[in-house]
């Protein structure tokens, strides 16, 4: 069962995203995510507010980022796709230099925030580079196949995600376009043959001089998220069992 999420407000009136751990496995992932968020304070990563409680029923709070995820973003021009991926690759390169691996770069884990800036969330499957893998992302459509046989966190997992997102944003790019080249290189079967995230960012910036962030992200598909309860009890919606 996926963790339940809800948009609510904290006691200061700030909008936050609350994620509830409904079972033991989710509780473990929630703690992992909070630890990584604490270590990866970055403008391109959702901001940790804190964790309320322990074990099953605990809640992770992060600052809410206004905007759709890539999973709900409409088709955008190739120049905007290149700009978005360059910014995302820069964020991942910064995390890798801190020794951190996101571990699950998927359209659902990339928010297109204000100004078109990509902001990553969903760090529950990540960890420190070189440390043993102890949480599997499961059969995610964008998961790196090499992870299934790996025993340690590898920044190359995130690079594979960049390539998969490039293929998603440009499923049929013009011949020779950098997004097609990036998808091929970043999704190489051998993780050691893939470029670094920093090299991906530099390639995109060099190859697409007109690269820019998306100017007008479309609204998320489906109904708008429900408002949370009053600031007096920002966690009541989740603890009452309401789905996010």
């Amino acid at each position: 069962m996926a963790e339940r999420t809800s948009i609510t407000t904290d006691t200061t009136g700030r909008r936050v995203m609350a994620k509830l751990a409904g079972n033991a496995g989710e509780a473990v992932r929630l703690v992992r995510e909070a630890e990584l968020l604490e270590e990866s304070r970055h403008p391109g990563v959702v901001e940790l507010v804190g964790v309320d409680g322990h074990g099953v029923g605990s809640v992770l709070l992060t600052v809410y980022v206004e905007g759709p995820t890539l999973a709900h973003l409409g088709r955008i021009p190739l120049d905007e796709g290149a700009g978005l991926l360059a910014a995302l690759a820069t964020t991942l390169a910064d995390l890798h230099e801190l020794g951190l691996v996101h571990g699950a770069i998927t359209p659902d884990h990339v928010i297109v925030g204000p100004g078109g800036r990509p902001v990553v969330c969903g760090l529950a499957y990540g960890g420190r580079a070189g440390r043993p893998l102890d949480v599997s992302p499961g059969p995610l459509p964008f998961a790196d196949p090499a992870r299934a046989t790996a025993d340690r966190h590898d920044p190359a997992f995130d690079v594979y995600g960049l390539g998969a997102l490039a293929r998603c944003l440009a499923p049929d790019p013009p011949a020779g376009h950098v997004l097609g080249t990036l998808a091929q290189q970043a999704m190489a079967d051998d993780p050691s043959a893939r470029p670094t995230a920093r090299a991906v960012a530099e390639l995109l910036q060099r190859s697409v001089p007109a690269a820019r962030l998306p100017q007008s992200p479309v609204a998320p598909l489906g109904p708008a998220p429900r408002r949370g309860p009053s600031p007096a009890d920002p966690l009541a919606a989740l603890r009452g069992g309401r789905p996010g």
Side-chain angles (χ1 to χ4, degrees):
M1 181 181 72
E3 298 90 337
R4 288 175 291 168
T5 60
S6 175
I7 302 169
T8 181
T9 55
D10 63 12
T11 54
T12 68
R14 176 174 56 177
R15 298 185 78 190
V16 296
M17 179 68 75
K19 180 187 292 186
L20 173 70
N23 58 44
E26 293 169 6
V28 170
R29 291 196 295 271
L30 187 147
V31 171
R32 165 69 55 78
E33 185 164 6
E35 291 173 347
L36 289 180
L37 287 173
E38 180 63 39
E39 294 185 65
S40 59
R41 301 275 181 174
H42 190 284
V45 180
V46 292
E47 180 182 350
L48 174 68
V49 175
V51 177
D52 185 85
H54 301 279
V56 178
S58 58
V59 179
L60 173 72
L61 298 172
T62 56
V63 174
Y64 176 70
V65 179
E66 188 75 41
T69 65
L70 276 183
H72 291 133
L73 191 67
R75 293 295 295 272
I76 59 177
L78 293 179
D79 290 351
E80 292 186 0
L84 187 149
L85 286 177
L88 177 59
T90 298
T91 293
L92 292 175
D94 290 344
L95 294 183
H96 295 167
E97 289 177 2
L98 291 173
L100 304 176
V101 177
H102 181 284
I105 294 297
T106 71
D108 287 327
H109 292 160
V110 180
I111 306 166
V112 184
R117 182 187 181 96
V119 180
V120 296
C121 60
L123 279 72
Y125 300 101
R128 284 222 157 252
R131 295 284 181 85
L133 282 170
D134 52 4
V135 179
S136 170
L140 293 175
F142 286 74
D144 181 3
R147 179 170 176 145
T149 56
D151 59 1
R152 306 209 172 252
H153 288 284
D154 189 338
F157 300 158
D158 294 342
V159 174
Y160 180 95
L162 288 170
L165 291 183
R167 184 164 292 172
C168 178
L169 290 172
D172 188 23
H177 193 277
V178 67
L179 290 183
T181 302
L182 167 60
Q184 182 177 12
Q185 294 178 352
M187 299 175 73
D189 293 337
D190 181 0
S192 66
R194 300 169 191 166
T196 64
R198 188 73 68 193
V200 169
E202 293 172 352
L203 172 66
L204 289 166
Q205 294 166 351
R206 182 175 63 251
S207 303
V208 188
R212 62 192 188 278
L213 294 175
Q215 299 302 302
S216 301
V218 297
L221 300 177
R226 296 184 190 180
R227 294 283 183 170
S230 66
D233 186 5
L235 307 180
L238 285 172
R239 289 181 174 144
R242 190 188 75 190

